[in-house]
Amino acid sequence: DEEASCSSQPGDPEELEQKHLTDVCLSFVHYYVAAMKELKRTGAQLAAIKPAERALINMPDLVQQAEKARQLVHLNQKFLQMLVMENPVIRPFVGQDKQTGLLFCNGKESSEARAE
């Protein structure tokens, strides 16, 4: 069937769009771990600042700011999880940890997601 062979071509716009959507959704899956790693790195850098130098920074409570950032990461992750879990295209590619509620890939992730 000529029509079937056209839809399976690697340059097919629908196939490319589906791959792009999958890559975007998988980046949502990896968001939480990447964001928390960045917050930890930033926290370590801030902790290394000497108290006299910290007094020069116009941020009265770095601990409070860091906690607010963690809360926002959690809120963002909940929203991203909702997007992924309600998407019938990406849903087969992810699972959800029963203890943490975090999403994870089922080994079918894209090459871009694996490279991270």
Side-chain angles (χ1 to χ4, degrees), residues 1-10 12:
D1 183 276
E2 186 177 291
E3 188 175 310
S5 65
C6 287
S7 66
S8 64
Q9 292 178 2
D12 179 44

Side-chain angles (χ1 to χ4, degrees), residues 41-56:
R41 185 184 67 78
T42 301
Q45 290 173 337
L46 291 173
I49 298 173
K50 297 174 185 168
E53 294 169 348
R54 189 176 295 161
L56 300 173

Side-chain angles (χ1 to χ4, degrees), residues 50-102:
K50 297 174 185 168
E53 294 169 348
R54 189 176 295 161
L56 300 173
I57 299 174
N58 191 17
M59 290 178 70
D61 190 352
L62 294 176
V63 173
Q64 184 180 15
Q65 294 289 331
E67 181 54 33
K68 180 69 172 171
R70 279 189 288 279
Q71 290 172 2
L72 292 173
V73 166
H74 286 287
L75 185 62
N76 289 345
Q77 182 62 26
K78 285 182 181 184
F79 175 73
L80 295 174
Q81 282 180 269
M82 179 192 69
L83 291 177
V84 170
M85 298 306 270
E86 292 182 8
N87 185 311
V89 173
I90 192 62
R91 181 64 184 102
F93 293 90
V94 298
Q96 191 167 19
D97 185 281
K98 288 180 175 41
Q99 289 183 328
T100 65
L102 293 176

